[in-house]
Amino acid sequence: MDDLFLKVDLPDYANAFDHSQSFLMMGSCFAEEMGNRLQELRFKTCLNPNGILYNPLNIADVLSHALDGTLYSKSDLLSREDIFLSWQHHGMHYGMDPDAFLAKLNQQAANLNAFLLQADVLILTFGTSYHWVLKEGAKRVVNCHKQPSDLFEKTLCSTKQLAGVYTALIDRLKAINPGLKVLLTVSPVRYKRDGIIENNRSKARLLLLCEYLEAQYAHVAYFPAYELLIDGLRDYRFYAKDRVHPSKEAVDLIWKQFVQSCFSAEAQKLIKEIDAYNRSRKHRSLYPDSAAAKKFEASLEKKGRQLDELLKKYL
């Protein structure tokens, strides 16, 4: 970043990550941004198996559910016209037949359990301290699925409540996967529908939660994605038209800081090569039958084989 930006000091992560590690990423839409980039760069990545999650309690619920091996049942479902949805999943997950849908959800939970046992890095992006509870049964839900608001109660979590849940969860994860590293982030996206003041108070609870957990555990660290946007990139040219989501340029800048801080020098070099290859693959020649186009395609195929060979050593 140049002098136009406020410099945000990044913690020293000892360049810990490379392609030999597997990543589980869960949380808000900012986690989706980072996770999709990891997948495109051919890191072993499991991204939001239940869909986008905003509240830390919802993330903890999904992880605990997978660890417990508890099966989702019809009480976890709702129907909207002829579509079945799950209270514990984002709306991207749906089914037309309840039994087939439940079988799919339970298989996903089993896959998450298996991934947790061998994952190297768990990256959690917390979005908001607000969560929704279905009044009937006092069930915490991931998504309200456009149901009437009077069916739910909106609650603001306290830092103490969140810290208690995550202390127990991290202890449990450490017991079953001693080598797991945990990286925490707070989404820089403002939830203006909660109100600007309310959003800031919500984010403050999340930041304090991350501070507490980082102080408690040697294997837990914090990456300042929130600070990089809110403090480092204060100009609204780094935001989308809604003035709350980061623009592509802002995400690119935060991603660059993430890679430089968290990945080994060798991994950073390989990331650049894969990224260049991916961009070249997206190129479409105006004259695909020309000699130049065929030569370009042949060079890409050769580069692809070279990258495959490079990545084999990380398997």
Side-chain angles (χ1 to χ4, degrees):
M1 295 185 180
D2 58 32
D3 292 340
L4 291 174
F5 311 130
L6 176 65
K7 179 176 173 55
V8 176
D9 292 328
L10 299 173
D12 181 11
Y13 302 110
N15 296 321
F17 306 153
D18 60 33
H19 278 85
S20 66
Q21 293 164 315
S22 55
F23 297 79
L24 173 58
M25 298 194 66
M26 298 180 67
S28 73
C29 46
F30 189 77
E32 292 278 309
E33 289 273 7
M34 300 291 107
N36 284 328
R37 293 186 183 220
L38 285 175
Q39 289 179 333
E40 289 173 359
L41 292 165
R42 298 176 65 176
F43 287 92
K44 297 183 287 290
T45 308
C46 176
L47 173 59
N48 270 340
N50 282 45
I52 295 172
L53 306 169
Y54 299 100
N55 180 273
L57 292 182
N58 292 134
I59 297 172
D61 286 344
V62 171
L63 289 171
S64 297
H65 186 278
L67 291 172
D68 293 339
T70 306
L71 296 178
Y72 291 110
S73 67
K74 290 186 178 179
S75 65
D76 296 306
L77 304 184
L78 72 151
S79 60
R80 199 171 70 196
E81 297 178 350
D82 59 341
I83 297 171
F84 289 89
L85 299 160
S86 164
W87 290 121
Q88 302 307 315
H89 292 73
H90 187 271
M92 64 179 288
H93 295 281
Y94 70 94
M96 309 307 291
D97 174 82
D99 294 322
F101 184 41
L102 282 171
K104 178 183 175 181
L105 298 184
N106 286 322
Q107 184 58 58
Q108 289 175 340
N111 293 343
L112 175 56
N113 182 300
F115 198 92
L116 273 169
L117 295 177
Q118 54 82 43
D120 298 293
V121 185
L122 172 62
I123 302 179
L124 303 178
T125 300
F126 302 142
T128 178
S129 297
Y130 286 99
H131 69 99
W132 295 86
V133 175
L134 187 63
K135 292 177 181 177
E136 183 179 351
K139 178 183 294 187
R140 197 156 47 226
V141 300
V142 163
N143 198 297
C144 296
H145 298 304
K146 300 181 180 180
Q147 298 300 294
S149 60
D150 59 3
L151 296 178
F152 307 93
E153 181 179 354
K154 185 179 180 182
T155 304
L156 180 63
C157 304
S158 69
T159 302
K160 182 178 180 180
Q161 177 188 13
L162 295 173
V165 169
Y166 271 83
T167 298
L169 178 61
I170 291 173
D171 287 343
R172 187 177 183 186
L173 289 170
K174 186 69 173 175
I176 64 166
N177 186 351
L180 182 69
K181 294 182 176 67
V182 180
L183 186 64
L184 305 175
T185 65
V186 171
S187 169
V189 177
R190 298 186 188 94
Y191 297 108
K192 65 180 182 180
R193 284 188 298 179
D194 294 328
I196 296 301
I197 293 173
E198 291 80 1
N199 170 77
N200 286 338
R201 291 172 178 171
S202 166
K203 297 289 187 185
R205 286 163 164 79
L206 302 179
L207 293 168
L208 288 172
L209 170 65
C210 292
E211 179 190 27
Y212 173 80
L213 295 174
E214 186 178 30
Q216 291 293 113
Y217 298 98
H219 67 293
V220 175
Y222 173 73
F223 178 76
Y226 178 85
E227 292 80 1
L228 283 168
L229 183 64
I230 300 299
D231 295 311
L233 305 173
R234 294 181 63 86
D235 197 303
Y236 273 112
R237 66 195 167 109
F238 293 112
Y239 289 80
K241 289 182 179 180
D242 63 6
R243 297 293 186 264
V244 293
H245 287 82
S247 66
K248 183 181 182 303
E249 182 182 7
V251 175
D252 288 343
L253 288 167
I254 296 171
W255 168 258
K256 182 179 179 180
Q257 296 294 302
F258 176 62
V259 170
Q260 290 179 349
S261 300
C262 298
F263 290 84
S264 68
E266 184 178 359
Q268 290 181 44
K269 180 181 177 182
L270 189 50
I271 284 170
K272 289 180 180 178
E273 290 187 46
I274 296 173
D275 184 52
Y277 172 77
N278 288 344
R279 283 186 278 108
S280 295
R281 291 299 302 172
K282 294 176 183 177
H283 173 74
R284 292 292 177 265
S285 173
L286 286 174
Y287 310 104
D289 296 325
S290 67
K294 291 178 180 178
K295 182 179 179 181
F296 176 75
E297 191 64 31
S299 69
L300 272 183
E301 290 180 5
K302 180 180 178 181
K303 183 62 178 178
R305 290 192 296 270
Q306 291 172 343
L307 289 174
D308 288 341
E309 288 298 316
L310 283 172
L311 289 165
K312 280 182 182 178
K313 74 175 185 176
Y314 295 104
L315 297 177

